[in-house]
Amino acid sequence: MEQDSGRTAEWLSSLFPFSLLDEDDLLEISPMVEVIECPRNSRLYAAGDIPDHFYWILSGDVQLTAGTIHRGKREQNLGPGDFFGAEVLSRTDYRFSQAVCLSKSKLARINEQDLNQLRERFPALKSALSLIYQTHKFRSRLFLPWLESDEKVNLVCRRHPFFLILRVLLVGGVAVGGFAALLAIAVTGKSVGLLFLALFFLLLGLFFTGWSALEWSNDYFILTSDRVLVQKKLTGFFDSRQEAPYTAILSTGLESTIWGRLVGFGTINLRTYNGNLSFKRLPVPGIIFEMLEYQRQHIKQESRQTEHTEIRTTLKQRLGGKSVERTQPAPGRHRAGVSTTYASGSLLDLAARFFGLRHERSGSVIYRTHWWRLMGKTLIPSLLLLAVVVFIILKMLDFMPAISETQAYGAAIIATVICWVWWLYQYQDWFNDIYIISTDQIVDVNRRPLGKEERRSAPIQNIQTVEFKRKGLIGLILNFGTVRIQIGNQELTF
């Protein structure tokens, strides 16, 4: 155990949420924090254990392996600056996962009793630890298919509960008030019709109240180790995700009104290369803002360390008379783009494979637009072909004696050829529009049959923001939507 309080306070100042405290407070609480060294492959705790400590990683790597999980990632690797063990923040939880040191590691930990004292003493720590525990609970049940294998979730929160209560009270109040008024008129006038109308109004109000609550519960603000994003879903209408990597953020800002300060909500604004992103109605916005800034600084520090390592390696190679070997960044780290794969094993996936909506070639992934768009393009020629078939059947049944067979069959052949040519043209037009994601760039190819071809491409490293939207009931049912990728003042729409 480390005894140097000054050294411990220095470490704590670089760890969230202790970074919220000033130097004097850190010196005062440093005796409560134990710094331990753990050998490689040592187990800190197992799934099902009673939680007793909260941990921060000073150096080394720790792997968390979930004891029971139905979907999502079972394993998660953590590095310096990360924290774990949020089960200790609850009086009823057991350890959800097993924690094992993958390498020789130095950890800072604090026991449950001291942590509870700090929560009561410092309101900022209490709010931050509440967010951490809330994120831990969300993470154990949320399915995030877009999350990369080495990407960690640091924060998950919803909009402030005040807006849920306000919405439920408004919608529910209108429903109850309308029901009471109609019921009073129905009883006074002894009208059965008005009584049924009052019941229908009440049921409709209850439905919209539940729908409003569901819409609030499906909106999430998320901070990961690589990006910041907001995920929205309006049940039955749209599903969207808007995000930006930390490397594309130029500046951050925090706004709050007098009502926001009284209730405890605010807005975080991000300025990126191509515009501004606003995340509104967030709870404890000051704490979330500090967590965002902490993660941005952590990314910058990692980038500087990587650059220094590369410079030292290059100098050693040159001084040793060796050729310089350029190191490649680890896949998935600090990337600007997003890779999303959908594979539920449903009939929709069978249809996607049948139409060839996604396939891989030479390390690249090639996408086509959804087969629903193909159906829309070929709808009119398909209906005309169906009309030709109906026309021939009616002629064969002698429903049109005024038209001779030669005229009928000749017109049918001409119409069939025209409709088939039209149908094949539309199919080829759909087939030729492809989107390619390779290891280093994205490509949008739009080629007209017997016409011109347009091809736009951009390096993945230049991507600044990515926005995903899935609009309308059909888009939600059939699982298709639009991805907008911003690169400078140019936008690629998939």
Side-chain angles (χ1 to χ4, degrees), residues 426-446:
Q426 295 292 352
Y427 173 81
Q428 195 65 34
D429 186 36
W430 170 83
F431 187 84
N432 288 340
D433 292 346
I434 57 176
Y435 311 111
I436 305 173
I437 302 178
S438 65
T439 55
D440 58 353
Q441 67 176 347
I442 55 174
V443 182
D444 179 9
V445 180
N446 187 356

Side-chain angles (χ1 to χ4, degrees), residues 133-387:
Y133 179 71
Q134 174 184 284
T135 299
H136 166 75
K137 298 298 289 184
F138 277 135
R139 189 67 192 94
S140 63
R141 65 173 184 266
L142 272 182
F143 181 50
L144 305 175
W146 43 263
L147 199 66
E148 295 292 334
S149 58
D150 62 341
E151 190 175 9
K152 299 179 286 290
V153 177
N154 296 322
L155 173 69
V156 180
C157 73
R158 293 189 177 110
R159 287 175 291 172
H160 197 282
F162 170 76
F163 295 97
L164 170 64
I165 298 172
L166 183 64
R167 182 174 297 186
V168 169
L169 289 178
L170 288 176
V171 179
V174 171
V176 173
F179 168 74
L182 290 173
L183 182 63
I185 297 174
V187 172
T188 303
K190 298 180 180 180
S191 172
V192 178
L194 285 177
L195 180 61
F196 280 107
L197 182 61
L199 291 174
F200 174 77
F201 193 85
L202 178 62
L203 293 175
L204 189 65
L206 292 176
F207 169 78
F208 277 107
T209 301
W211 181 78
S212 299
L214 182 63
E215 188 269 333
W216 174 87
S217 67
N218 285 333
D219 288 358
Y220 294 100
F221 176 78
I222 303 174
L223 294 179
T224 74
S225 56
D226 293 342
R227 48 185 160 166
V228 53
L229 60 95
V230 59
Q231 180 173 289
K232 294 183 178 181
K233 182 178 180 181
L234 185 59
T235 305
F237 287 89
F238 73 87
D239 185 2
S240 69
R241 187 174 74 246
Q242 191 176 21
E243 63 184 71
Y246 294 116
T247 53
I249 298 175
L250 297 176
S251 64
T252 58
L254 176 63
E255 294 182 0
S256 64
T257 62
I258 184 172
W259 290 108
R261 290 188 290 273
L262 290 174
V263 178
F265 66 88
T267 300
I268 291 180
N269 296 313
L270 306 181
R271 189 168 69 89
T272 64
Y273 288 104
N274 63 293
N276 298 328
L277 297 177
S278 294
F279 306 101
K280 301 178 180 180
R281 301 175 180 179
L282 296 177
V284 287
I287 303 298
I288 296 178
F289 180 80
E290 292 296 333
M291 182 179 288
L292 171 62
E293 287 297 293
Y294 170 80
Q295 191 59 40
R296 288 184 64 205
Q297 295 302 321
H298 186 64
I299 293 294
K300 290 181 180 179
Q301 184 178 0
E302 283 189 351
S303 299
R304 285 196 296 266
Q305 290 177 350
T306 302
E307 291 175 0
H308 292 163
T309 302
E310 291 179 353
I311 291 173
R312 284 196 300 268
T313 302
T314 301
L315 289 174
K316 287 181 179 179
Q317 290 174 350
R318 288 192 179 278
L319 292 175
K322 299 179 181 179
S323 60
V324 178
E325 298 179 0
R326 296 191 178 275
T327 58
Q328 296 295 329
R333 291 296 298 165
H334 312 316
R335 67 209 174 287
V338 176
S339 174
T340 302
T341 302
Y342 174 80
S344 64
S346 64
L347 293 176
L348 295 179
D349 293 321
L350 293 177
R353 287 192 290 269
F354 176 79
F355 286 97
L357 301 187
R358 179 187 185 275
H359 63 277
E360 298 184 13
R361 181 191 302 166
S362 302
S364 299
V365 183
I366 301 175
Y367 292 93
R368 289 188 174 89
T369 54
H370 198 270
W371 52 264
W372 182 257
R373 184 170 176 81
L374 171 63
M375 297 300 178
K377 282 178 168 287
T378 59
L379 177 61
I380 295 179
S382 299
L383 291 178
L384 291 177
L385 285 172
L386 181 61

Side-chain angles (χ1 to χ4, degrees), residues 12-22 26 125 290-291 294:
L12 294 181
S13 64
S14 63
L15 300 175
F16 187 86
F18 290 123
S19 56
L20 301 174
L21 305 180
D22 57 34
L26 292 177
L125 281 184
E290 292 296 333
M291 182 179 288
Y294 170 80

